[in-house]
Amino acid sequence: MSSANLPSEKFRLGMLLSDTRYRGTSLQVITFIIFVAVFFWLVDNTLKNLALLGKDVSFAFLGMRAGYDINQRLIPYTNDSTHAMAAFVGILNTLLCAFVGCIIATIVGVFVGILRLSKNWIIAKLMSVYIEGFRNVPVLLWIVMVFALLTEFTPAPKAFKGANPEATMFLFDSIAITNRGTYLPAPVWGQGSTFLIIIFLVSVLAVIFFTRYAKELKKNTGKSLPSFWISIGILIVPTVLFYFILGKPVDLNYPYLKGFNFKEGIHLRNSFIALTLALAFYTSAFIAEIVRSGILAISKGQTEAAASLGMKPNKIMSLIILPQALRVIVPPLISNYLNLTKNSSLAIAVGYMDVRGTLGGITLNQTGRELESMLLLMGFYLSVSLFISSIINWFNRSFQIVVR
Amino acid sequence: MKNYAYVREKSIPPSPPPLIEVGVIGWIRQNLFSSWFNSFLTLFSLYFIFICLIDFIPWAWGGHWNAKSLRECMDLDPNVACFSVLAARWEQLLFGLYPADQYWRPTLTFVFLILSIIPILFPKFFRYFWFSVIYPGLAIWLLWGGSIWSIAIIYIGVLLGVASFTVLSKGVIRSTSVNLTLSVVITLLFFLFLSSTLTGFLSYLIPISLPFVESLRMGGFTLSLIVGISGIVASFPIGILLALGRQSNLPIIKMICVGFIEFIRGVPLITLLFVASVLLNYFLPPGTNFDIVLRVVIMVTLFSAAYMAEVIRGGLAGLPLGQHEASASLGLTYWQSQRLIIMPQALKISIPGIVNTFIGLFKDTTLVSIISLRDPVGLASTIRADTKWNGIYWELYIAIGLMFFIVCFGMSQYSQYLERKLQTDK
């Protein structure tokens, strides 16, 4: 019995599992074999099933005529366009919703997050109610609720009619909120507007240079300029000045009522507004928590040390707390942007034609190409997500605290 | 020594602070009106709350509960809520299309659910943990019905495996891996050859069975709970394994885990659910067709397992390297050190993230309405499609939102309680 327990140098088959020198390798080999086997099993099944249904794997359907209309689009598209074009319209719609949603979510989220730390009890409680309310109710429910709010509680276009209308437009008759969507004035680019845009871009450049100069000045002499107000001035004044010098080259095309509907202007459908607002508010609750915890993560000692150096509260915030808090805040913030983008696939609940609605919806149903459509759809979302996570990784690498 | 005219021998008792600095008034002054800006904010928020409640309270308080249709509600008083839709359809919202005479089954399942999570939540009751172990089988049997033995046989098989492992370990063979393999083989043999005969025999001997209910009849909050709870229970261990795999130094295992996690996290749950409902039949042998609820549960589980893995990986990364090295220097094997040293600490750090994943999973169960299963959100549109309730929104949505809010808020409160309880460094 005892001799059997002595370690023997001779290799036995059992050592593949019991000896730590070989165990890792053999475990990997086993896993790899199982993985490959399962993969081939799935592929084999798929091929068999496709053969059974008489289908093949081909992406030729992308070049065929789509034959359906998309009511909200950023690029020209008719039902004679191809399926690929429809998918592209959907992608742009997804990105538009995600982009607008992220901006609103960030603004609201930062606002709510800071207010939740307020010393004012009632404000802090209100913000907690906001955060908990949005975080603990499914986003799908919020989307359909906002949609119901927009379609049920807004006036029909015909309510704006007549000498004494039931409903009025906002902001000097420029914005009409109706149950068919919101109508905004559309800009008309007239003669000289290119020049105006160039002026604006130049002032943006000037602001960037000015900020650099202000930073250098501060570094070298310790003098600080009121850089915020000067930047705003540089940004706005030349553009406004040239706007009048050039004779108002950009005009606004106001929406107006004709028949039973509004004409002209930009028409934002309720589906888009509901989806974007609901996603933005939902995500803003998460962003608020991130901002709050980011600010709390910067220890109180930092604030006190800065105060003892004689800094003013707003300087402490902008020079000491925020630069450190941003390091904590930004990565989860970006991953929340990613979540918002992925959640925009819930567009189907309100009938907004995002990429899941076009490529993964109507195209899939019309052509019967489930496998190919889903592959493309997943490929799109995956590439967006990989792109965003590479941004996070880049941020983490470049803003890491350098430990010496 | 009596040169001094007067020496105070006792200190004067401190005088009470001014009345406006303490008590209710002091609190109000400090928290609500400390500056002109704060006062403005306070007044503004009070006004805001007032506006919100002035319409809402009479609307909700005077709501009708007994009308037969929305039209009847409107005839009674169009300015108040019509909760009659809840009174008329609450059974559907809770149970979906479950047979009406069998409602006691989901109800009982729910009661048992609460009983079975008590031992997990509160260590005081841990001796009743056996009930939590038999609960999943019990719940499946109660909800879907059929013979009790077809479920019990799984437990019997697993028990047989465990028993054979124990017997083998106490016997002559001393290698754990051999014992494990043997007991797995025994269990598999049991399931392959013996189980069906035994099930038939036991059902003949002690016939306990419930009428069978098919999956498509599950719905309402019951469905949300089925998908949510099974997802939570299954995704936790899978998430731990994935996190360990991602941290492991075996390149192939690490690669598979990273690929899986990044793939799942990169696509929306909706596309995965579509894969479950449309594509899964392509990937399985021709002719297989298994339960849609099970497919959804699998997808939801995989989805949240990937998120769970990332949360736990965060916890693992938060542990100092010294913990690994210390446990290795004590001579613990990989699994021992994970079980005794690493995981308890890593899981403790990641409690908030884990519970957030659970909450996210539970909220995501509403997405099954998009592949036309009847969860509460899906049922809301079904109810609105009825001519009697056409045009009703808020009463339904508020009720559904409230149900989800209670469950999710409860979970987050429990996680905060757990964090406070497990806090050892203060």
Side-chain angles (χ1 to χ4, degrees):
Chain A
M1 199 68 200
S2 61
S3 63
N5 285 338
L6 283 175
S8 64
E9 282 303 308
K10 229 176 84 184
F11 179 78
R12 286 174 292 111
L13 211 58
M15 275 164 75
L16 277 181
L17 274 179
S18 56
D19 194 320
T20 43
R21 280 174 298 179
Y22 309 116
R23 189 193 279 156
T25 318
S26 48
L27 210 63
Q28 292 206 70
V29 170
I30 294 171
T31 318
F32 186 68
I33 291 172
I34 293 176
F35 179 74
V36 170
V38 168
F39 183 75
F40 275 103
W41 183 69
L42 291 178
V43 171
D44 181 52
N45 282 335
T46 313
L47 291 179
K48 269 188 206 153
N49 279 316
L50 285 174
L52 225 64
L53 292 167
K55 284 183 179 176
D56 56 348
V57 179
S58 133
F59 290 93
F61 71 98
L62 285 175
M64 294 188 318
R65 181 177 174 272
Y68 59 90
D69 286 313
I70 300 174
N71 56 24
Q72 184 144 29
R73 51 185 183 261
L74 295 173
I75 49 170
Y77 169 88
T78 62
N79 56 14
D80 280 328
S81 308
T82 57
H83 279 298
M85 205 60 192
F88 191 59
V89 171
I91 287 177
L92 287 182
N93 279 348
T94 297
L95 294 180
L96 174 72
C97 168
F99 183 69
V100 177
C102 286
I103 291 175
I104 301 176
T106 314
I107 296 171
V108 178
V110 170
F111 193 68
V112 172
I114 291 176
L115 279 188
R116 200 183 175 183
L117 289 172
S118 160
K119 288 197 184 73
N120 189 320
W121 183 83
I122 203 161
I123 288 277
K125 282 292 158 210
L126 264 183
M127 293 307 139
S128 313
V129 169
Y130 174 89
I131 291 174
E132 295 298 340
F134 273 104
R135 283 206 315 170
N136 288 319
V137 173
V139 61
L140 184 59
L141 200 61
W142 280 120
I143 293 174
V144 289
M145 271 205 264
V146 175
F147 188 64
L149 187 80
L150 285 177
T151 48
E152 290 298 299
F153 284 82
T154 50
K158 68 174 182 207
F160 292 85
K161 245 178 140 66
N164 196 8
E166 297 164 44
T168 48
M169 292 164 74
F170 296 98
L171 276 180
F172 312 111
D173 275 0
S174 61
I175 299 171
I177 298 174
T178 74
N179 63 356
R180 292 193 195 172
T182 298
Y183 295 83
L184 303 173
V188 181
W189 305 101
Q191 195 107 50
S193 50
T194 337
F195 191 64
L196 199 66
I197 293 173
I198 293 171
I199 295 278
F200 182 71
L201 290 179
V202 168
S203 41
V204 169
L205 277 180
V207 167
I208 294 173
F209 279 114
F210 170 71
T211 338
R212 275 203 191 151
Y213 166 73
K215 259 189 191 163
E216 280 299 309
L217 192 73
K218 172 126 188 150
K219 230 185 208 170
N220 296 333
T221 65
K223 271 186 224 160
S224 56
L225 298 167
S227 44
F228 178 75
W229 294 109
I230 296 182
S231 307
I232 294 274
I234 296 176
L235 199 64
I236 290 175
V237 171
T239 316
V240 172
L241 212 64
F242 272 91
Y243 176 71
F244 287 107
I245 292 175
L246 290 169
K248 303 183 184 177
V250 183
D251 206 7
L252 287 177
N253 198 352
Y254 290 99
Y256 60 90
L257 197 61
K258 190 180 179 196
F260 287 106
N261 223 334
F262 278 93
K263 288 271 151 49
E264 306 287 344
I266 299 173
H267 179 199
L268 298 176
R269 278 171 199 274
N270 276 333
S271 53
F272 170 73
I273 299 174
L275 181 71
T276 312
L277 282 187
L279 286 176
F281 288 145
Y282 179 78
T283 314
S284 75
F286 291 86
I287 292 179
E289 280 298 87
I290 292 168
V291 169
R292 186 179 75 106
S293 63
I295 291 176
L296 285 182
I298 306 310
S299 76
K300 222 175 165 186
Q302 297 279 336
T303 319
E304 287 164 356
S308 70
L309 285 176
M311 297 178 98
K312 290 183 188 129
N314 59 342
K315 286 278 164 194
I316 297 178
M317 199 58 172
S318 63
L319 294 176
I320 306 290
I321 303 295
L322 273 187
Q324 298 184 71
L326 278 184
R327 192 178 288 129
V328 186
I329 290 172
V330 168
L333 184 72
I334 298 176
S335 87
N336 261 294
Y337 291 162
L338 178 58
N339 280 348
L340 193 151
T341 311
K342 284 191 289 173
N343 278 338
S344 72
S345 58
L346 295 176
I348 191 174
V350 287
Y352 178 65
M353 294 300 269
D354 72 331
V355 64
R356 216 211 62 76
T358 58
L359 176 66
I362 302 180
T363 295
L364 184 149
N365 286 334
Q366 273 189 3
T367 57
R369 299 275 178 190
E370 295 103 350
L371 202 64
E372 295 90 336
S373 301
M374 291 309 281
L375 274 179
L376 286 174
L377 194 62
M378 286 186 164
F380 164 69
Y381 282 114
L382 264 182
S383 44
V384 170
S385 119
L386 288 180
F387 174 69
I388 290 182
S389 48
S390 66
I391 293 179
I392 299 181
N393 288 339
W394 168 81
F395 181 88
N396 283 343
R397 262 202 314 278
S398 32
F399 290 91
Q400 243 167 11
I401 300 177
V402 184
V403 184
R404 291 192 185 90
Chain B
M1 289 293 278
K2 292 246 174 171
N3 293 338
Y4 305 110
Y6 171 72
V7 172
R8 179 184 288 286
E9 285 172 344
K10 273 189 241 159
S11 63
I12 310 175
S15 53
L19 211 60
I20 53 166
E21 292 294 333
V22 289
V24 180
I25 303 172
W27 185 87
I28 289 179
R29 262 176 62 103
Q30 269 171 24
N31 290 298
L32 300 181
F33 298 100
S34 55
S35 66
W36 66 267
F37 183 64
N38 250 343
S39 313
F40 166 74
L41 280 181
T42 306
L43 291 180
F44 181 74
S45 4
L46 283 178
Y47 177 66
F48 177 75
I49 295 171
F50 175 74
I51 291 193
C52 289
L53 294 185
I54 190 79
D55 282 334
F56 181 75
I57 287 184
W59 178 81
W61 187 252
H64 303 298
W65 286 92
N66 295 318
K68 291 278 174 290
S69 68
L70 185 63
R71 179 170 298 268
E72 207 181 309
C73 270
M74 289 293 159
D75 288 345
L76 281 170
D77 183 356
N79 291 323
V80 299
C82 183
F83 292 120
S84 320
V85 66
L86 303 179
R89 297 296 192 95
W90 66 273
E91 291 170 324
Q92 232 184 355
L93 277 179
L94 289 184
F95 305 121
L97 299 182
Y98 213 83
D101 55 333
Q102 304 284 330
Y103 280 160
W104 62 272
R105 280 160 56 179
T107 317
L108 198 63
T109 316
F110 184 68
V111 173
F112 282 162
L113 170 72
I114 291 168
L115 290 182
S116 74
I117 55 178
I118 285 177
I120 300 171
L121 296 189
F122 304 104
K124 232 187 344 183
F125 301 99
F126 194 72
R127 60 180 178 281
Y128 300 111
F129 186 66
W130 56 269
F131 185 71
S132 315
V133 174
I134 60 166
Y135 176 74
L138 191 65
I140 291 171
W141 177 62
L142 274 174
L143 285 172
W144 273 272
S147 167
I148 194 173
W149 295 110
S150 50
I151 303 290
I153 203 75
I154 297 172
Y155 280 87
I156 294 174
V158 172
L159 264 184
L160 187 78
V162 174
S164 58
F165 181 72
T166 331
V167 169
L168 284 172
S169 308
K170 283 192 180 146
V172 270
I173 313 168
R174 301 193 60 172
S175 155
T176 318
S177 43
V178 172
N179 282 340
L180 206 63
T181 323
L182 273 180
S183 50
V184 166
V185 167
I186 290 175
T187 319
L188 281 182
L189 285 177
F190 171 78
F191 277 123
L192 279 179
F193 300 110
L194 209 60
S195 62
S196 52
T197 337
L198 193 64
T199 312
F201 176 67
L202 283 171
S203 334
Y204 172 72
L205 209 64
I206 317 165
I208 307 175
S209 75
L210 286 170
F212 182 69
V213 179
E214 55 180 310
S215 284
L216 281 178
R217 309 200 67 149
M218 310 277 164
F221 213 54
T222 315
L223 183 70
S224 304
L225 280 177
I226 292 175
V227 176
I229 303 276
S230 8
I232 285 174
V233 170
S235 69
F236 189 52
I238 300 178
I240 292 180
L241 287 182
L242 281 174
L244 287 179
R246 193 169 185 168
Q247 294 287 79
S248 126
N249 46 15
L250 308 174
I252 293 178
I253 291 181
K254 184 174 177 172
M255 232 156 59
I256 293 175
C257 288
V258 170
F260 178 81
I261 293 173
E262 289 304 324
F263 170 71
I264 297 271
R265 275 161 46 93
V267 296
L269 177 58
I270 265 218
T271 53
L272 290 179
L273 289 178
F274 261 87
V275 168
S277 76
V278 181
L279 283 189
L280 211 60
N281 282 342
Y282 280 111
F283 298 140
L284 296 173
T288 14
N289 191 12
F290 71 98
D291 196 273
I292 180 74
V293 173
L294 186 61
R295 283 192 250 171
V296 166
V297 166
I298 290 175
M299 280 303 172
V300 170
T301 305
L302 293 181
F303 185 74
S304 52
Y307 282 83
M308 188 73 70
E310 281 302 279
V311 168
I312 294 171
R313 185 175 75 112
L316 286 173
L319 275 193
L321 205 62
Q323 296 287 334
H324 293 266
E325 287 160 359
S327 59
S329 72
L330 283 176
L332 298 178
T333 66
Y334 177 77
W335 289 109
Q336 277 174 332
S337 78
Q338 290 298 342
R339 192 161 51 87
L340 300 169
I341 312 285
I342 307 298
M343 267 305 150
Q345 299 183 68
L347 290 182
K348 194 182 95 180
I349 303 177
S350 32
I351 286 174
I354 292 174
V355 176
N356 275 344
T357 314
F358 286 164
I359 292 176
L361 188 158
F362 191 67
K363 285 187 297 183
D364 280 344
T365 58
T366 50
L367 264 57
V368 300
S369 65
I370 287 177
I371 54 166
S372 53
L373 285 178
R374 293 182 187 80
D375 86 307
V377 178
L379 277 169
S381 29
T382 316
I383 292 174
R384 283 213 322 272
D386 186 345
T387 46
K388 276 201 284 186
W389 302 111
N390 198 348
I392 204 156
Y393 288 95
W394 301 106
E395 295 82 353
L396 273 177
Y397 289 149
I398 288 173
I400 297 167
L402 214 59
M403 289 201 279
F404 276 98
F405 183 84
I406 290 169
V407 175
C408 297
F409 191 66
M411 279 201 256
S412 72
Q413 291 303 304
Y414 176 76
S415 95
Q416 286 174 14
Y417 154 80
L418 201 62
E419 264 179 86
R420 278 195 301 274
K421 207 182 72 172
L422 295 181
Q423 204 169 41
T424 46
D425 52 352
K426 272 192 187 146

